Amino acid sequence: MTPDNISFLGYACGLAAGDAGCADGPVELQSEFKTISLLYPDIFCKDKYKIIAELSQRLAERVQQSVYDKKPFIVFAGDHSCAIGTWSGATSALEKDVGLIWVDAHLDAHTTETSPSGNIHGMPVASLLGHGNNLLSSILDVRPKIKPENMCFIGVRSFEEGEFELVTRLGIKVFYIDEVKSRGLDGVFKEAKTIVTKNTPYYGVSIDLDGIDPSEAPGVGTPEKNGLSSQELCDALTKYCHRDPKLIGVEITEFNPHHDVSGKTREVIRNLVKSIYTIGEK
């Protein structure tokens, strides 16, 4: 597979995060992946929900077109609110249920009412499940984009009560970091893929770089200790996702180049992409 067969999309937004520096992540990655098509938020609107909804709509339409064209996609994003657009576009194009593996230190399942910070990058899971702000949950379609039984988390180790309650009530499988460390990521990832593909013809992978231990990926906005091994994650992606025709796309989010150290996080991103598509530098 060559870069010509893949849609590289950039979501250059940090407005939904506490640290907006991640907006520069996709821009920075253009030196690695020179065909990234960048999308920027409309900063002239003062309502963040409207800004994110409008940007998510544009990203959803790009992803939708990629799926129509039968091209796998990679979304390089600033903040993780990108997932609202990414998976809204994918499910709308397929008109079928889609599975989703969510690699993250956090649950990202807050609503406006439960979020302590009010940061929208902590709300994409709730939005995709059909909860929370209507602007965010109705991109391209008012129906929920992902069903709880078709989703699972890997690597979670930081969360608040409100989002934990929603995820628990909906019965979404969460592989918390302690289980990952005790069982090994290979076995966990295998089970996760089995879960998300049991009732779906296609699936995607959403990777928040703070899911990886900050000693290996320091270039993030909300680092959390005791994270995943980047090598083990790359190995799992290679083993279970490499050239998999059921994998419709991937997003890699929350790269904040202002916090990177000696290019460590850029190298992790390069290796993650190579693990799935055997490409990297062009």
Side-chain angles (χ1 to χ4, degrees):
M1 183 176 288
T2 67
D4 291 338
N5 302 121
I6 300 171
S7 293
F8 293 95
L9 303 171
Y11 182 89
C13 176
L15 295 175
D19 184 339
C22 59
D24 296 327
V27 181
E28 189 81 7
L29 290 172
Q30 282 194 305
S31 61
E32 301 284 344
F33 308 95
K34 295 180 171 52
T35 57
I36 295 177
S37 176
L38 290 173
L39 296 173
Y40 293 90
D42 177 6
I43 60 173
F44 297 104
C45 177
K46 294 182 179 180
D47 186 327
K48 281 192 178 182
Y49 284 96
K50 289 182 178 179
I51 295 174
I52 300 303
E54 190 275 335
L55 184 59
S56 295
Q57 176 79 21
R58 284 189 278 137
L59 176 59
E61 290 169 355
R62 295 286 186 92
V63 170
Q64 186 181 51
Q65 189 59 55
S66 296
V67 177
Y68 286 152
D69 294 340
K70 301 187 184 304
K71 295 176 67 173
F73 59 84
I74 302 178
V75 174
F76 296 105
D79 65 66
H80 213 161
S81 67
C82 66
I84 300 169
T86 300
W87 306 111
S88 292
T91 57
S92 176
L94 292 168
E95 296 184 345
K96 298 176 180 178
D97 290 342
V98 173
L100 184 58
I101 297 175
W102 192 278
V103 179
D104 204 324
H106 310 94
L107 289 173
D108 289 357
H110 274 299
T111 64
T112 305
E113 291 72 29
T114 65
S115 173
S117 67
N119 292 330
I120 300 173
H121 75 155
M123 303 179 188
V125 169
S127 299
L128 291 169
L129 294 167
H131 297 266
N133 186 281
N134 288 335
L135 287 174
L136 304 180
S137 62
S138 60
I139 303 299
L140 294 184
D141 195 327
V142 297
R143 294 173 295 182
K145 311 309 188 299
I146 302 292
K147 293 180 179 178
E149 62 268 28
N150 298 332
M151 181 179 185
C152 65
F153 295 87
I154 296 177
V156 172
R157 55 196 184 277
S158 176
F159 50 88
E160 285 86 34
E161 181 180 353
E163 57 183 343
F164 175 77
E165 187 279 328
L166 178 63
V167 168
T168 302
R169 173 163 54 85
L170 295 177
I172 301 172
K173 176 62 179 176
V174 182
F175 294 100
Y176 293 99
I177 194 65
D178 289 346
E179 180 177 358
V180 176
K181 294 293 179 74
S182 64
R183 290 181 54 188
L185 182 56
D186 181 87
V188 164
F189 204 99
K190 180 181 180 180
E191 184 178 347
K193 182 179 175 181
T194 298
I195 291 170
V196 305
T197 58
K198 181 179 179 180
N199 303 306
T200 64
Y202 300 100
Y203 73 101
V205 180
S206 182
I207 301 172
D208 188 321
L209 291 165
D210 66 31
I212 298 168
D213 195 86
S215 65
E216 299 182 54
V220 299
T222 52
E224 300 287 348
K225 295 180 181 179
N226 191 34
L228 300 172
S229 157
S230 63
Q231 185 58 59
E232 289 182 2
L233 180 56
C234 286
D235 290 344
L237 290 168
T238 299
K239 186 173 181 178
Y240 297 109
C241 301
H242 182 71
R243 295 180 182 266
D244 185 351
K246 292 185 176 182
L247 179 69
I248 55 170
V250 177
E251 58 186 359
I252 300 175
T253 77
E254 298 281 351
F255 172 44
N256 190 324
H258 306 288
H259 298 321
D260 205 6
V261 178
S262 303
K264 284 185 176 182
T265 313
R266 285 176 64 128
E267 181 68 17
V268 166
I269 295 169
R270 186 183 303 121
N271 290 336
L272 289 171
V273 174
K274 286 181 177 180
S275 297
I276 304 170
Y277 295 120
T278 322
I279 59 173
E281 303 94 343
K282 185 182 178 185

